[in-house]
């Protein structure tokens, strides 16, 4: 499946389910919990959701609100080493398990996030 077709398969609802399942796990996490803005988690959840929706064929709300993603630069304030990257992916893998998206959509999404999370390592 092409990346741009994923939105038409899982829709807003599929992305919302995945990202909500991820952010539900963040506050409890000893490594990642402290990195995320606890008072602004809802907006953080929306930023990741809108970014993925834009990247995988949906409306470009992320770009309208945040401009060019510059994701590596936006992550510089956070200390992301291999352990933090692996934990992020671990929470995301649990979120995938919970969201139970169609496998033909899950596979490219997971591959993209595995690649991008490694790219985000800055320590
Ligand atoms: C490798 C481990 C990662 C860590 C520890 C991490 C951590 C964070 C933190 C603490 C924020 C700030 C929350 C907020 O206020 O929005 C953030 C923002 C964000 N992250 Fe990550 N992140 C990681 C990987 C990723 C990956 C793989 C993606 C997607 C490809 C991603 C996409 C985003 C987006 C879109 C934002 C919002 C950027 C903005 O518009 O300000 N992150 N991340």
């Amino acid at each position: 499946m092409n990346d741009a077709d994923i939105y038409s398969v899982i829709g807003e609802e599929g992305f919302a389910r995945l990202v909500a399942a991820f952010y539900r796990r963040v506050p409890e996490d000893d490594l990642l919990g402290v990195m995320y803005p606890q008072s602004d988690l809802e907006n953080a959840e929306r930023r990741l959701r809108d970014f993925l929706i834009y990247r995988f064929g949906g409306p470009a709300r992320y770009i309208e609100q945040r401009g060019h993603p510059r994701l590596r630069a936006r992550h510089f304030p956070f200390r992301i080493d291999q352990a933090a990257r692996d934990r992020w992916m671990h929470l995301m893998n649990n979120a995938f398990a919970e969201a139970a998206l169609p496998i033909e959509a899950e596979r490219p999404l997971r591959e993209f996030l595995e690649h991008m999370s490694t790219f985000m390592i800055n320590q």
Side-chain angles (χ1 to χ4, degrees), residues 20-38 41 45 91:
F22 175 80
Y23 270 96
R24 205 176 306 125
R25 289 166 165 79
V26 165
E28 304 288 294
D29 189 85
D30 59 342
L31 234 156
L32 302 185
V34 292
M35 275 193 215
Y36 284 83
Q38 293 306 314
L41 266 192
E45 181 175 329
L91 297 197

Side-chain angles (χ1 to χ4, degrees), residues 13-71:
E13 200 275 325
F15 286 100
R17 215 159 74 222
L18 176 67
V19 175
F22 175 80
Y23 270 96
R24 205 176 306 125
R25 289 166 165 79
V26 165
E28 304 288 294
D29 189 85
D30 59 342
L31 234 156
L32 302 185
V34 292
M35 275 193 215
Y36 284 83
Q38 293 306 314
S39 56
D40 193 36
L41 266 192
E42 254 178 55
N43 286 319
E45 181 175 329
R46 182 170 46 75
R47 287 188 276 273
L48 179 59
R49 185 176 64 230
D50 282 354
F51 170 75
L52 292 176
I53 285 172
Y54 143 74
R55 175 62 181 72
F56 289 93
R61 287 191 302 266
Y62 180 86
I63 303 297
E64 285 155 20
Q65 285 159 19
R66 307 291 290 165
H68 189 281
R70 302 184 300 110
L71 281 190

